[in-house]
Amino acid sequence: QVQLVESGGGLVQAGGSLRLSCAASGRTFSWYRVGWFSQAPGKEREFVAAISLSGGNTYYADSVKGRFTISRGNPKNTVYLQMNSLKPEDTAVYYCAARRSSIATMQSEVDYWGQGTQVTVSS
């Protein structure tokens, strides 16, 4: 069993930055690939970024490449999403997601979800 708790969301002006954190508990967390998804009002939950077990490989949606950076903390029970150059269209609830077998890029592939943290970007 893995528990995920997000933090770091908030209200920011366009062009600003936020850092989201995903703190994990559960002794098998090191076996899981971790990622972030976002869900805007009235839309499907979408893949944002993911990171491999070692942290050596990262994956991003085209819409956030060059602006967002995913990383693992030390010890590796925390995953961060650094969000720079934020745009109003980034406004959404951001969810931390974990999958054991491989990177998840679709919500149906995720084994565990966090409760979500709201990010609001004003224009």
Side-chain angles (χ1 to χ4, degrees):
Q1 188 76 6
V2 173
Q3 294 80 41
L4 306 171
V5 178
E6 303 97 333
S7 61
L11 173 64
V12 64
Q13 289 187 331
S17 299
L18 284 174
R19 188 176 80 157
L20 305 184
S21 299
C22 173
S25 60
R27 56 195 178 104
T28 61
F29 178 68
S30 60
W31 301 351
Y32 285 78
R33 289 77 174 168
V34 182
W36 291 90
F37 285 69
S38 67
Q39 188 167 20
K43 294 190 176 181
E44 295 288 320
R45 199 168 293 188
E46 298 179 337
F47 171 75
V48 175
I51 191 165
S52 63
L53 287 177
S54 67
N57 293 301
T58 56
Y59 309 84
Y60 297 96
D62 288 342
S63 60
V64 306
K65 281 181 182 176
R67 299 190 298 123
F68 291 9
T69 303
I70 189 170
S71 61
R72 280 191 182 266
N74 189 12
K76 295 183 178 179
N77 63 334
T78 303
V79 173
Y80 302 102
L81 184 69
Q82 179 66 43
M83 309 165 68
N84 297 330
S85 301
L86 282 161
K87 305 175 181 179
E89 51 263 43
D90 295 321
T91 295
V93 178
Y94 284 74
Y95 296 89
C96 185
R99 186 187 193 200
R100 182 166 176 179
S101 61
S102 63
I103 294 293
T105 59
M106 298 173 61
Q107 59 176 322
S108 61
E109 297 172 336
V110 174
D111 295 329
Y112 296 100
W113 292 101
Q115 84 288 352
T117 185
Q118 176 71 46
V119 171
T120 302
V121 185
S122 63
S123 57

